[in-house]
């Protein structure tokens, strides 16, 4: 069974999909080291290649149909492999059909608007695939772990605390609901790396000269808040996994497996859209045939 075959994706993803209403705990409920039925990287290679090819075909039809867009939201702790996942999973897709947006700490101009503004500007148009490398979810993750960030947002009522996070979960659910109703399918992926594996990857970045640029002092500072982040992730995922936009908690200690699950989740979303090439009207077809006659007559 190939996990990226659209006939299998739903079953393959079931252990990683958070059902609406389920209250998850991290790290208790999901094993970052899980590799399903697969044992080694080699087992995933061909399957991932199949998935990449399939995504390219789906993207072509999505663009031609021009009715739906696809929004992929990637969230994770540092060094969980967001960048590599985007690079590998989207490697076969026509670059004109995909837009990747990375969201870092907000600028002054962004802080002059509400927290859903900057991401709204980057939403995919019909026919497009948009990938958010981090997203408005940071507003209930990093901002919850560091509530002092709220000061710069100048909200009329911003006392940090459960009521504020709950309000934001509701606003996010409403926002995603509106997007879905109007033709944007949303896929949400949390790359679930373990604390040990993050340590190993940080050390590797510090040891290897070609990886030095990937490590910053902020990384070790945020790591000190590991438990607070896990709790914030668990709460946010529990509150915002909805029928129209469910979360997937993807085991990320083995990059090859994480990429396969991510590919399967994106294939599965496209399967539910089932984009088709538009058919032309009888009139347009008659015009095409007349054009053919004219072209043939030239020869
Ligand atoms: P990488 O480290 O792989 O290059 P990254 O996504 O971690 O990618 P960084 O520039 O290291 O990029 O970090 C971006 C930082 O911006 C993260 O620490 C994230 O929490 C922070 N950030 C993102 N959105 C917000 C937000 N709305 N408010 C405050 N901080 C945010
Ligand atoms: Mg970083």
């Amino acid at each position: 069974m190939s996990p990226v075959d659209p006939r299998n994706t739903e079953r393959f993803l079931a252990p990683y999909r958070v059902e609406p209403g389920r209250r998850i705990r991290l790290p208790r409920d999901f094993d970052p080291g899980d590799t399903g039925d697969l044992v080694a990287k080699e087992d995933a290679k061909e399957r991932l290649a199949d998935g990449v090819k399939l995504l390219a075909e789906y993207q072509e039809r999505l663009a031609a149909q021009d009715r739906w867009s696809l929004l992929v939201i990637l969230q994770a702790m540092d060094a969980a492999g967001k960048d590599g996942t985007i690079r590998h999973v989207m490697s076969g897709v026509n670059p004109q059909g995909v837009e990747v947006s990375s969201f870092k700490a907000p600028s002054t101009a962004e802080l002059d608007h509400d927290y859903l503004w900057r991401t709204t500007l980057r939403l995919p148009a019909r026919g497009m695939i948009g990938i958010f490398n981090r997203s408005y979810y940071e507003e209930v993750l990093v901002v919850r772990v560091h509530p002092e960030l709220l000061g710069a947002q100048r909200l009329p009522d911003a006392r940090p605390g459960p009521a504020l996070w709950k309000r934001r979960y509701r606003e996010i659910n409403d926002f995603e609901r509106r997007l879905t109703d109007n033709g944007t399918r949303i896929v949400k992926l949390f790359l679930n790396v373990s604390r040990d594996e993050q340590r190993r990857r940080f050390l590797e970045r510090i040891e290897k000269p070609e990886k030095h640029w990937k490590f910053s002092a902020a990384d070790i500072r945020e790591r000190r808040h590991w438990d607070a982040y896990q709790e914030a992730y668990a709460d946010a995922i529990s509150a915002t996994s909805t029928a129209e936009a469910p979360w997937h908690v993807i085991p990320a200690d083995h990059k090859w497996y994480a990429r396969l699950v991510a590919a399967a989740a994106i294939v599965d979303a496209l399967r539910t859209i089932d984009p088709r090439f538009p058919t032309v009207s009888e009139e347009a077809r008659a015009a095409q045939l007349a054009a053919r006659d004219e072209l043939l007559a030239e020869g």
Side-chain angles (χ1 to χ4, degrees), residues 79 201-208 211-212 214-215:
R201 291 183 191 175
F202 277 174
L203 283 171
E204 191 178 314
R205 289 176 179 191
I206 293 166
E207 304 300 339
K208 292 194 178 165
K211 294 203 171 180
H212 286 173
K214 285 192 180 186
F215 188 81

Side-chain angles (χ1 to χ4, degrees), residues 55 173 178 180 203 218-219 258:
L55 282 175
N173 286 340
R178 193 193 88 208
T180 311
L203 283 171
D219 291 343

Side-chain angles (χ1 to χ4, degrees), residues 75-83 102-106 111 115 118 133-143 146 149 153 168 205 213-216 218-219 222 229:
Q75 285 289 157
M77 297 296 288
D78 284 304
K82 286 186 280 108
D83 292 318
S102 300
F103 297 100
K104 319 256 176 194
L111 286 166
Y115 72 95
R118 64 171 178 164
N133 182 351
R134 303 189 187 272
S135 66
Y136 44 82
Y137 279 98
E138 292 292 327
E139 295 286 339
V140 290
L141 298 166
V142 66
V143 180
H146 301 283
L149 290 171
Q153 300 192 8
R168 288 194 164 179
R205 289 176 179 191
W213 64 275
K214 285 192 180 186
F215 188 81
S216 78
D219 291 343
E222 289 318 297
Y229 270 109

Side-chain angles (χ1 to χ4, degrees), residues 268-284:
D268 191 60
L270 287 160
R271 173 187 68 82
T272 64
I273 298 176
D274 192 20
R276 312 264 170 130
F277 289 114
T279 50
V280 295
S281 66
E282 271 181 43
E283 208 181 349

Side-chain angles (χ1 to χ4, degrees), residues 13 16-18 187-191 241 246-250 265:
L13 291 166
Y16 312 120
R17 189 168 282 181
V18 178
V187 186
K188 299 190 291 200
L189 311 176
F190 169 54
L191 299 187
S241 212
W247 274 102
H248 301 80
V249 179
I250 299 185

